């Protein structure tokens, strides 16, 4: 791929990952995950997933923002040096979030908690994908 390609990092080492887009996606994931928390709470979720304390809005906020922010920054850094990394990172994050979504059904004893947590996995995975997928992928969709 040449540096003129919209999906390749440029020869100058400029990353095509846009950190404001990553921050916006993390914010959307946060809002949607807190909405899922409220919905689960309304449905009777205990938020007990085998942790020492019950899951709470602060934990949801941290789990929504920190992984997307840290992985986004790392992807920004690596994508400036490795052509193709951005596309792979977008897909790996999406797949990881989706395949880990069933875990809450094993860890939690009640359906509202499991469904709420599983939806948070999927929400964050989708937000990640749209945050870091290359521009050419965005135009095709």
């Amino acid at each position: 791929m040449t540096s003129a390609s919209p999906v390749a990092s440029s020869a100058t080492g400029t990353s095509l990952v846009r950190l404001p887009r990553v921050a916006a996606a993390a914010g959307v994931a946060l809002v949607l995950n807190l909405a899922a928390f409220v919905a689960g709470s309304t449905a009777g979720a205990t938020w007990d997933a085998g942790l020492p304390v019950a899951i709470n809005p602060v934990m949801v906020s941290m789990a929504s923002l920190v992984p997307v922010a840290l992985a986004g920054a790392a992807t920004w850094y690596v994508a400036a040096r490795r052509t193709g990394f951005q596309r792979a990172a977008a897909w790996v994050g999406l797949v990881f979030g989706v395949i880990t979504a069933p875990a809450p059904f094993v860890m939690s004893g009640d359906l509202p908690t499991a469904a709420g947590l599983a939806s948070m996995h999927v929400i964050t995975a989708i937000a990640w994908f749209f945050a870091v997928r290359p521009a050419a992928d965005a135009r095709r969709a």
Side-chain angles (χ1 to χ4, degrees):
M1 295 183 148
T2 66
S3 62
S5 173
V7 295
S9 298
S10 74
T12 62
T14 302
S15 179
L16 296 176
V17 174
R18 300 291 173 240
L19 295 179
R21 190 164 109 181
V22 171
V28 169
L30 170 64
V31 169
L32 293 176
N33 286 341
L34 287 173
F37 183 85
V38 170
S41 296
T42 302
T46 64
W47 298 113
D48 179 9
L51 300 174
V53 296
I55 294 168
N56 60 53
V58 173
M59 295 169 76
V60 171
S61 298
M62 296 303 291
S64 299
L65 296 174
V66 173
V68 174
L70 291 178
T75 301
W76 171 81
Y77 180 80
V78 175
R81 289 148 186 80
R82 305 275 303 176
T83 301
F85 181 79
Q86 182 178 354
R87 175 177 282 116
W91 282 104
V92 166
L94 178 64
V95 169
F96 180 78
V98 171
I99 65 171
T100 59
F105 290 94
V106 175
M107 303 300 295
S108 174
D110 64 283
L111 186 59
T113 297
L117 291 173
S119 69
M120 291 177 200
H121 279 244
V122 174
I123 288 166
T124 304
I126 292 169
W128 166 257
F129 181 76
F130 283 106
V132 299
R133 72 182 179 156
D137 288 351
R139 283 195 301 272
R140 280 189 285 231

